[in-house]
PDB file of all heavy atoms in Angstrom:
ATOM      1  N   ILE O  28       0.165  -1.256   7.965  1.00 92.00           N
ATOM      2  CA  ILE O  28       0.693  -0.584   6.784  1.00 92.00           C
ATOM      3  C   ILE O  28       2.217  -0.592   6.854  1.00 92.00           C
ATOM      4  O   ILE O  28       2.801  -0.202   7.868  1.00 92.00           O
ATOM      5  CB  ILE O  28       0.199   0.874   6.700  1.00 92.00           C
ATOM      6  CG1 ILE O  28      -1.318   0.934   6.760  1.00 92.00           C
ATOM      7  CG2 ILE O  28       0.717   1.534   5.433  1.00 92.00           C
ATOM      8  CD1 ILE O  28      -2.022   0.226   5.640  1.00 92.00           C
ATOM      9  N   VAL O  29       2.857  -1.020   5.791  1.00 95.00           N
ATOM     10  CA  VAL O  29       4.315  -1.029   5.697  1.00 95.00           C
ATOM     11  C   VAL O  29       4.748   0.223   4.939  1.00 95.00           C
ATOM     12  O   VAL O  29       4.317   0.448   3.812  1.00 95.00           O
ATOM     13  CB  VAL O  29       4.819  -2.288   4.972  1.00 95.00           C
ATOM     14  CG1 VAL O  29       6.328  -2.228   4.805  1.00 95.00           C
ATOM     15  CG2 VAL O  29       4.404  -3.544   5.719  1.00 95.00           C
ATOM     16  N   SER O  30       5.592   1.028   5.542  1.00 96.00           N
ATOM     17  CA  SER O  30       6.081   2.217   4.855  1.00 96.00           C
ATOM     18  C   SER O  30       7.269   1.843   3.988  1.00 96.00           C
ATOM     19  O   SER O  30       8.219   1.206   4.454  1.00 96.00           O
ATOM     20  CB  SER O  30       6.489   3.294   5.862  1.00 96.00           C
ATOM     21  OG  SER O  30       6.950   4.443   5.181  1.00 96.00           O
ATOM     22  N   ILE O  31       7.221   2.238   2.722  1.00 97.00           N
ATOM     23  CA  ILE O  31       8.349   1.969   1.819  1.00 97.00           C
ATOM     24  C   ILE O  31       9.166   3.238   1.578  1.00 97.00           C
ATOM     25  O   ILE O  31      10.055   3.242   0.725  1.00 97.00           O
ATOM     26  CB  ILE O  31       7.884   1.337   0.493  1.00 97.00           C
ATOM     27  CG1 ILE O  31       6.995   2.271  -0.319  1.00 97.00           C
ATOM     28  CG2 ILE O  31       7.170   0.011   0.758  1.00 97.00           C
ATOM     29  CD1 ILE O  31       6.681   1.744  -1.718  1.00 97.00           C
ATOM     30  N   VAL O  32       8.842   4.301   2.315  1.00 96.00           N
ATOM     31  CA  VAL O  32       9.634   5.535   2.275  1.00 96.00           C
ATOM     32  C   VAL O  32       9.878   6.008   3.705  1.00 96.00           C
ATOM     33  O   VAL O  32       9.129   5.664   4.619  1.00 96.00           O
ATOM     34  CB  VAL O  32       8.912   6.657   1.481  1.00 96.00           C
ATOM     35  CG1 VAL O  32       8.790   6.291   0.026  1.00 96.00           C
ATOM     36  CG2 VAL O  32       7.553   6.975   2.088  1.00 96.00           C
ATOM     37  N   GLY O  33      10.933   6.787   3.882  1.00 95.00           N
ATOM     38  CA  GLY O  33      11.212   7.361   5.182  1.00 95.00           C
ATOM     39  C   GLY O  33      10.361   8.598   5.444  1.00 95.00           C
ATOM     40  O   GLY O  33       9.765   9.170   4.521  1.00 95.00           O
ATOM     41  N   GLU O  34      10.302   9.015   6.685  1.00 94.00           N
ATOM     42  CA  GLU O  34       9.498  10.171   7.050  1.00 94.00           C
ATOM     43  C   GLU O  34       9.960  11.437   6.350  1.00 94.00           C
ATOM     44  O   GLU O  34       9.163  12.347   6.103  1.00 94.00           O
ATOM     45  CB  GLU O  34       9.538  10.375   8.568  1.00 94.00           C
ATOM     46  CG  GLU O  34       8.824   9.278   9.354  1.00 94.00           C
ATOM     47  CD  GLU O  34       8.813   9.567  10.840  1.00 94.00           C
ATOM     48  OE1 GLU O  34       9.330  10.645  11.237  1.00 94.00           O
ATOM     49  OE2 GLU O  34       8.304   8.727  11.603  1.00 94.00           O
ATOM     50  N   ALA O  35      11.233  11.506   6.019  1.00 96.00           N
ATOM     51  CA  ALA O  35      11.776  12.714   5.388  1.00 96.00           C
ATOM     52  C   ALA O  35      11.602  12.719   3.871  1.00 96.00           C
ATOM     53  O   ALA O  35      11.972  13.697   3.220  1.00 96.00           O
ATOM     54  CB  ALA O  35      13.255  12.859   5.738  1.00 96.00           C
ATOM     55  N   GLU O  36      11.059  11.650   3.302  1.00 97.00           N
ATOM     56  CA  GLU O  36      10.888  11.588   1.848  1.00 97.00           C
ATOM     57  C   GLU O  36       9.942  12.696   1.382  1.00 97.00           C
ATOM     58  O   GLU O  36       8.810  12.798   1.842  1.00 97.00           O
ATOM     59  CB  GLU O  36      10.311  10.233   1.441  1.00 97.00           C
ATOM     60  CG  GLU O  36      10.209  10.016  -0.043  1.00 97.00           C
ATOM     61  CD  GLU O  36      11.549   9.809  -0.719  1.00 97.00           C
ATOM     62  OE1 GLU O  36      12.466   9.254  -0.069  1.00 97.00           O
ATOM     63  OE2 GLU O  36      11.690  10.205  -1.899  1.00 97.00           O
ATOM     64  N   PRO O  37      10.371  13.552   0.462  1.00 96.00           N
ATOM     65  CA  PRO O  37       9.502  14.634  -0.010  1.00 96.00           C
ATOM     66  C   PRO O  37       8.402  14.121  -0.934  1.00 96.00           C
ATOM     67  O   PRO O  37       8.569  13.098  -1.602  1.00 96.00           O
ATOM     68  CB  PRO O  37      10.462  15.565  -0.754  1.00 96.00           C
ATOM     69  CG  PRO O  37      11.591  14.689  -1.175  1.00 96.00           C
ATOM     70  CD  PRO O  37      11.718  13.623  -0.125  1.00 96.00           C
ATOM     71  N   GLY O  38       7.288  14.828  -0.952  1.00 96.00           N
ATOM     72  CA  GLY O  38       6.181  14.486  -1.846  1.00 96.00           C
ATOM     73  C   GLY O  38       4.900  14.216  -1.088  1.00 96.00           C
ATOM     74  O   GLY O  38       4.918  13.859   0.086  1.00 96.00           O
ATOM     75  N   PRO O  39       3.752  14.394  -1.765  1.00 96.00           N
ATOM     76  CA  PRO O  39       2.455  14.110  -1.144  1.00 96.00           C
ATOM     77  C   PRO O  39       2.355  12.653  -0.728  1.00 96.00           C
ATOM     78  O   PRO O  39       2.790  11.751  -1.439  1.00 96.00           O
ATOM     79  CB  PRO O  39       1.449  14.428  -2.256  1.00 96.00           C
ATOM     80  CG  PRO O  39       2.176  15.321  -3.201  1.00 96.00           C
ATOM     81  CD  PRO O  39       3.606  14.891  -3.148  1.00 96.00           C
ATOM     82  N   ARG O  40       1.763  12.421   0.429  1.00 95.00           N
ATOM     83  CA  ARG O  40       1.661  11.066   0.959  1.00 95.00           C
ATOM     84  C   ARG O  40       0.536  10.282   0.281  1.00 95.00           C
ATOM     85  O   ARG O  40      -0.511  10.824  -0.053  1.00 95.00           O
ATOM     86  CB  ARG O  40       1.401  11.124   2.461  1.00 95.00           C
ATOM     87  CG  ARG O  40       2.619  10.874   3.366  1.00 95.00           C
ATOM     88  CD  ARG O  40       3.889  11.463   2.867  1.00 95.00           C
ATOM     89  NE  ARG O  40       5.056  10.882   3.546  1.00 95.00           N
ATOM     90  CZ  ARG O  40       6.304  11.228   3.311  1.00 95.00           C
ATOM     91  NH1 ARG O  40       6.569  12.167   2.425  1.00 95.00           N
ATOM     92  NH2 ARG O  40       7.291  10.652   3.940  1.00 95.00           N
ATOM     93  N   LEU O  41       0.785   8.987   0.087  1.00 95.00           N
ATOM     94  CA  LEU O  41      -0.183   8.083  -0.524  1.00 95.00           C
ATOM     95  C   LEU O  41      -0.137   6.756   0.216  1.00 95.00           C
ATOM     96  O   LEU O  41       0.941   6.216   0.469  1.00 95.00           O
ATOM     97  CB  LEU O  41       0.167   7.860  -2.003  1.00 95.00           C
ATOM     98  CG  LEU O  41      -0.585   6.736  -2.732  1.00 95.00           C
ATOM     99  CD1 LEU O  41      -2.058   7.084  -2.894  1.00 95.00           C
ATOM    100  CD2 LEU O  41       0.051   6.458  -4.095  1.00 95.00           C
ATOM    101  N   THR O  42      -1.293   6.249   0.599  1.00 92.00           N
ATOM    102  CA  THR O  42      -1.394   4.935   1.212  1.00 92.00           C
ATOM    103  C   THR O  42      -2.245   4.044   0.326  1.00 92.00           C
ATOM    104  O   THR O  42      -3.335   4.437  -0.088  1.00 92.00           O
ATOM    105  CB  THR O  42      -2.031   5.006   2.613  1.00 92.00           C
ATOM    106  OG1 THR O  42      -1.269   5.887   3.434  1.00 92.00           O
ATOM    107  CG2 THR O  42      -2.065   3.630   3.267  1.00 92.00           C
ATOM    108  N   VAL O  43      -1.748   2.858   0.025  1.00 90.00           N
ATOM    109  CA  VAL O  43      -2.480   1.889  -0.786  1.00 90.00           C
ATOM    110  C   VAL O  43      -2.676   0.627   0.038  1.00 90.00           C
ATOM    111  O   VAL O  43      -1.714   0.082   0.580  1.00 90.00           O
ATOM    112  CB  VAL O  43      -1.729   1.546  -2.087  1.00 90.00           C
ATOM    113  CG1 VAL O  43      -2.498   0.493  -2.886  1.00 90.00           C
ATOM    114  CG2 VAL O  43      -1.505   2.794  -2.934  1.00 90.00           C
ATOM    115  N   GLU O  44      -3.904   0.183   0.170  1.00 87.00           N
ATOM    116  CA  GLU O  44      -4.213  -1.083   0.819  1.00 87.00           C
ATOM    117  C   GLU O  44      -4.920  -1.984  -0.171  1.00 87.00           C
ATOM    118  O   GLU O  44      -5.505  -1.502  -1.152  1.00 87.00           O
ATOM    119  CB  GLU O  44      -5.095  -0.865   2.048  1.00 87.00           C
ATOM    120  CG  GLU O  44      -4.419  -0.073   3.158  1.00 87.00           C
ATOM    121  CD  GLU O  44      -5.326   0.095   4.351  1.00 87.00           C
ATOM    122  OE1 GLU O  44      -5.404  -0.869   5.145  1.00 87.00           O
ATOM    123  OE2 GLU O  44      -5.947   1.156   4.490  1.00 87.00           O
ATOM    124  N   GLY O  45      -4.876  -3.281   0.076  1.00 89.00           N
ATOM    125  CA  GLY O  45      -5.508  -4.170  -0.868  1.00 89.00           C
ATOM    126  C   GLY O  45      -5.787  -5.547  -0.324  1.00 89.00           C
ATOM    127  O   GLY O  45      -5.395  -5.898   0.795  1.00 89.00           O
ATOM    128  N   LEU O  46      -6.478  -6.315  -1.135  1.00 91.00           N
ATOM    129  CA  LEU O  46      -6.865  -7.684  -0.817  1.00 91.00           C
ATOM    130  C   LEU O  46      -6.542  -8.559  -2.018  1.00 91.00           C
ATOM    131  O   LEU O  46      -6.903  -8.222  -3.151  1.00 91.00           O
ATOM    132  CB  LEU O  46      -8.371  -7.742  -0.525  1.00 91.00           C
ATOM    133  CG  LEU O  46      -8.998  -9.123  -0.344  1.00 91.00           C
ATOM    134  CD1 LEU O  46      -8.461  -9.796   0.914  1.00 91.00           C
ATOM    135  CD2 LEU O  46     -10.517  -9.008  -0.283  1.00 91.00           C
ATOM    136  N   VAL O  47      -5.861  -9.667  -1.789  1.00 95.00           N
ATOM    137  CA  VAL O  47      -5.552 -10.629  -2.846  1.00 95.00           C
ATOM    138  C   VAL O  47      -6.469 -11.834  -2.654  1.00 95.00           C
ATOM    139  O   VAL O  47      -6.537 -12.410  -1.568  1.00 95.00           O
ATOM    140  CB  VAL O  47      -4.071 -11.059  -2.816  1.00 95.00           C
ATOM    141  CG1 VAL O  47      -3.788 -12.077  -3.913  1.00 95.00           C
ATOM    142  CG2 VAL O  47      -3.164  -9.844  -2.968  1.00 95.00           C
ATOM    143  N   ARG O  48      -7.185 -12.208  -3.730  1.00 96.00           N
ATOM    144  CA  ARG O  48      -8.188 -13.260  -3.649  1.00 96.00           C
ATOM    145  C   ARG O  48      -7.995 -14.314  -4.730  1.00 96.00           C
ATOM    146  O   ARG O  48      -7.364 -14.061  -5.756  1.00 96.00           O
ATOM    147  CB  ARG O  48      -9.597 -12.669  -3.818  1.00 96.00           C
ATOM    148  CG  ARG O  48      -9.933 -11.541  -2.888  1.00 96.00           C
ATOM    149  CD  ARG O  48     -11.340 -11.034  -3.134  1.00 96.00           C
ATOM    150  NE  ARG O  48     -11.545 -10.600  -4.515  1.00 96.00           N
ATOM    151  CZ  ARG O  48     -12.609  -9.916  -4.921  1.00 96.00           C
ATOM    152  NH1 ARG O  48     -13.558  -9.609  -4.062  1.00 96.00           N
ATOM    153  NH2 ARG O  48     -12.713  -9.551  -6.184  1.00 96.00           N
ATOM    154  N   ASP O  49      -8.602 -15.466  -4.500  1.00 98.00           N
ATOM    155  CA  ASP O  49      -8.699 -16.515  -5.512  1.00 98.00           C
ATOM    156  C   ASP O  49      -9.741 -16.085  -6.533  1.00 98.00           C
ATOM    157  O   ASP O  49     -10.877 -15.762  -6.185  1.00 98.00           O
ATOM    158  CB  ASP O  49      -9.105 -17.829  -4.841  1.00 98.00           C
ATOM    159  CG  ASP O  49      -9.121 -19.013  -5.790  1.00 98.00           C
ATOM    160  OD1 ASP O  49      -9.902 -18.973  -6.770  1.00 98.00           O
ATOM    161  OD2 ASP O  49      -8.385 -19.979  -5.539  1.00 98.00           O
ATOM    162  N   ALA O  50      -9.373 -16.076  -7.819  1.00 96.00           N
ATOM    163  CA  ALA O  50     -10.271 -15.592  -8.861  1.00 96.00           C
ATOM    164  C   ALA O  50     -11.501 -16.474  -9.023  1.00 96.00           C
ATOM    165  O   ALA O  50     -12.546 -15.999  -9.480  1.00 96.00           O
ATOM    166  CB  ALA O  50      -9.526 -15.503 -10.194  1.00 96.00           C
ATOM    167  N   GLU O  51     -11.405 -17.728  -8.646  1.00 97.00           N
ATOM    168  CA  GLU O  51     -12.530 -18.644  -8.839  1.00 97.00           C
ATOM    169  C   GLU O  51     -13.447 -18.701  -7.629  1.00 97.00           C
ATOM    170  O   GLU O  51     -14.670 -18.757  -7.776  1.00 97.00           O
ATOM    171  CB  GLU O  51     -12.011 -20.042  -9.185  1.00 97.00           C
ATOM    172  CG  GLU O  51     -11.262 -20.096 -10.516  1.00 97.00           C
ATOM    173  CD  GLU O  51     -10.844 -21.505 -10.889  1.00 97.00           C
ATOM    174  OE1 GLU O  51     -11.031 -22.434 -10.061  1.00 97.00           O
ATOM    175  OE2 GLU O  51     -10.319 -21.685 -11.998  1.00 97.00           O
ATOM    176  N   THR O  52     -12.878 -18.677  -6.432  1.00 97.00           N
ATOM    177  CA  THR O  52     -13.691 -18.839  -5.224  1.00 97.00           C
ATOM    178  C   THR O  52     -13.950 -17.535  -4.490  1.00 97.00           C
ATOM    179  O   THR O  52     -14.860 -17.456  -3.661  1.00 97.00           O
ATOM    180  CB  THR O  52     -13.011 -19.813  -4.246  1.00 97.00           C
ATOM    181  OG1 THR O  52     -11.793 -19.207  -3.745  1.00 97.00           O
ATOM    182  CG2 THR O  52     -12.673 -21.135  -4.930  1.00 97.00           C
TER     183      THR O  52
END
């Protein structure tokens, strides 16, 4: 997981993971 905010960034934490696929195969 790559963090795009620092530890001190205020706000509820959210983690998004995903998969990129070929639409045909």
Side-chain angles (χ1 to χ4, degrees):
I28 305 298
V29 176
S30 180
I31 64 172
V32 294
E34 292 184 2
E36 185 72 31
R40 259 38 196 181
L41 169 68
T42 303
V43 178
E44 295 181 81
L46 172 66
V47 179
R48 306 180 303 192
D49 185 299
E51 296 184 354
T52 67

